Amino acid sequence: MIEPGDIATWAAAAVAVVAAGIAGWQTREAHKSRIAAQAQATEAAKSREAAETQARAAEEQVALMRADRDERDAPEFSVSAVDAFTDDANSFAAKVVLRMERGRALRSLTVTATGDYLDKNPLYRFTDASGGVAAGIQLTFDDIRNGREVVFYAQTKDGYVGSTVDLELTCHERDGERTWQRHHACTIIPRPPRTWPTFRPL
């Protein structure tokens, strides 16, 4: 005969088994949820990384296109430096002719020169027919466009013919905000022989 106490014991044991089963099921479900959450977080991180990679690639492409456009629009110059006649330059100097060959029109062009045979403040130009002079370490010219030539002089020390003048050109776009840096190195060549008009006897 089953005692009441045995029934209570069995009932308690059954409840314990059921509770243990439920707890185990809850643990397994929680573990599955954690795995699913981790998988979702991993996928989200991958998606975010892929989006960032695509954004960087797009930015790099835009930068390359902008750099290519800037290079196409950049000004190009031809340069010559000739030993100047002293009566033209009012001193011993090299006459530099800078001509813009292509590129966007410029609001301003600033020229800086260095060289072993150049004076401390070497650059100057005549600003008007009366002999006005602008001089200094650098010179600035306004409104430069294709085909325009600017002429200036680089004051020199003895023995300068055959030496090199390094020109740094800072170019500011006229119809925009872009700036280009250009470098030219030119050798000061001897002056050509001066020719005088020939007069025929009457």
Side-chain angles (χ1 to χ4, degrees), residues 72-139:
R72 289 197 310 270
D73 291 344
E76 296 293 341
F77 299 88
S78 59
V79 184
S80 65
V82 181
D83 181 19
F85 292 103
T86 53
D87 53 344
D88 290 338
N90 291 342
S91 66
F92 293 102
K95 179 181 180 180
V96 182
V97 180
L98 191 63
R99 176 185 171 89
M100 184 171 172
E101 302 292 351
R102 61 170 294 273
R104 302 281 291 182
L106 303 178
R107 180 175 68 256
S108 66
L109 167 67
T110 299
V111 182
T112 305
T114 56
D116 292 338
Y117 287 85
L118 296 189
D119 286 346
K120 185 176 180 180
N121 295 305
L123 300 182
Y124 64 98
R125 65 187 175 96
F126 298 109
T127 57
D128 52 51
S130 63
V133 174
I137 298 174
Q138 62 185 26
L139 295 175

Side-chain angles (χ1 to χ4, degrees), residues 11-34:
V15 169
V17 169
V18 171
I22 293 174
W25 174 81
Q26 288 176 335
T27 300
R28 288 192 298 275
E29 290 300 314
H31 180 66
K32 289 179 182 180
S33 297
R34 284 197 301 274

Side-chain angles (χ1 to χ4, degrees), residues 81-199:
V82 181
D83 181 19
F85 292 103
T86 53
D87 53 344
D88 290 338
N90 291 342
S91 66
F92 293 102
K95 179 181 180 180
V96 182
V97 180
L98 191 63
R99 176 185 171 89
M100 184 171 172
E101 302 292 351
R102 61 170 294 273
R104 302 281 291 182
L106 303 178
R107 180 175 68 256
S108 66
L109 167 67
T110 299
V111 182
T112 305
T114 56
D116 292 338
Y117 287 85
L118 296 189
D119 286 346
K120 185 176 180 180
N121 295 305
L123 300 182
Y124 64 98
R125 65 187 175 96
F126 298 109
T127 57
D128 52 51
S130 63
V133 174
I137 298 174
Q138 62 185 26
L139 295 175
T140 298
F141 301 88
D142 297 325
D143 191 24
I144 306 299
R145 63 191 69 202
N146 290 340
R148 182 181 171 188
E149 289 184 350
V150 295
V151 178
F152 57 94
Y153 295 87
Q155 197 161 3
T156 53
K157 303 172 184 176
D158 188 33
Y160 59 89
V161 174
S163 67
T164 299
V165 176
D166 290 298
L167 300 176
E168 296 294 337
L169 311 178
T170 302
C171 312
H172 296 285
E173 185 179 20
R174 186 186 64 186
D175 299 320
E177 299 299 325
R178 290 179 294 178
T179 298
W180 294 274
Q181 297 292 139
R182 286 294 184 258
H183 174 266
H184 286 275
C186 53
T187 300
I188 302 174
I189 63 174
R191 74 185 69 165
R194 172 162 281 181
T195 58
W196 302 97
T198 302
F199 296 96

